[in-house]
Amino acid sequence: VNGEGPGGELKWEQGVLKVKVEAEATSHVPMDSIELVVNGLAVATQKAKKDKKEVLLSKSFEISDSCWMAVRVRGAAHRLLPNDTALYAHTSPVYFTFKDRPIRSRRAAQYFVNQIEKLIERVHKRGQFSQESEKKKVVDLFRKGQNIYREMVEGPETENLPVRFGYYSR
């Protein structure tokens, strides 16, 4: 994204940021599509062509607030994927920071509150610990993380999808 790879960060102080995403995926296993993901939501999809072993995505647009962006590929089950029921790969994000505003999404924070609750339930049902105090330490640590996400659910939110297509092209 604008020359930054996964894990990169771009900052700007005013107006909108013009963004150019170039993504390519290659695989021995056929892929169905590549998606551009912004703050957890797919905003653009490109279907794989030909033998489905390579897929390209190129998008230009503007962003108006702090967010993260990544790409992921999806595909059907394949005999070379023995541990999964489908092909799936996801990059680390590129982070965009507008005026030092943190990236916040209530929807995403609530998702993690719910997922951590499921993990706690799993610890209670299937966790094997030598002492009950060890189990309590694990649950307390999960609750600590869960409370951070609960604060995000209640706190301010950056614009959910700060992406505007059709305003910029190279």
Side-chain angles (χ1 to χ4, degrees):
V1 181
N2 288 10
E4 291 289 329
E9 183 176 12
L10 295 164
K11 297 181 178 191
W12 80 107
E13 293 295 322
Q14 62 184 6
V16 295
L17 181 66
K18 294 178 179 182
V19 174
K20 175 79 171 176
V21 174
E22 297 284 344
E24 176 182 3
T26 58
S27 174
H28 294 292
V29 176
M31 299 173 284
D32 291 333
S33 63
I34 189 169
E35 300 171 319
L36 173 61
V37 180
V38 178
N39 288 354
L41 298 173
V43 299
T45 302
Q46 179 64 52
K47 297 289 184 189
K49 296 177 182 171
K50 299 180 187 174
D51 64 359
K52 296 187 172 189
K53 302 281 178 99
E54 179 180 66
V55 61
L56 305 170
L57 175 76
S58 180
K59 280 287 185 192
S60 296
F61 50 92
E62 296 176 336
I63 57 174
S64 59
D65 205 347
S66 298
C67 65
W68 62 266
M69 223 174 269
V71 292
R72 66 183 174 210
V73 295
R74 295 179 185 267
H78 190 277
R79 66 178 178 76
L80 294 177
L81 300 171
N83 296 324
D84 286 309
T85 57
L87 173 70
Y88 181 86
H90 198 297
T91 67
S92 293
V94 173
Y95 300 95
F96 297 86
T97 306
F98 178 62
K99 295 184 179 179
D100 294 322
R101 285 172 43 92
I103 300 167
R104 305 247 187 212
S105 167
R106 287 187 187 105
R107 180 189 49 75
Q110 186 61 56
Y111 171 84
F112 286 111
V113 167
N114 297 342
Q115 287 300 108
I116 292 171
E117 193 60 40
K118 290 176 184 177
L119 290 171
I120 291 169
E121 289 173 16
R122 190 177 297 160
V123 165
H124 285 301
K125 288 179 183 175
R126 298 188 349 216
Q128 296 181 7
F129 299 88
S130 60
Q131 298 177 22
E132 190 64 26
S133 63
E134 293 300 315
K135 180 191 219 177
K136 183 181 179 331
K137 284 181 187 177
V138 169
V139 171
D140 288 348
L141 185 59
F142 278 148
R143 291 279 182 224
K144 184 177 177 181
Q146 194 177 43
N147 287 335
I148 291 169
Y149 286 112
R150 281 192 175 109
E151 288 175 15
M152 290 179 187
V153 169
E154 299 301 319
E157 179 171 35
T158 54
E159 188 178 331
N160 194 25
L161 273 180
V163 176
R164 288 183 271 188
F165 291 97
Y167 289 92
Y168 173 61
S169 63
R170 281 191 188 165

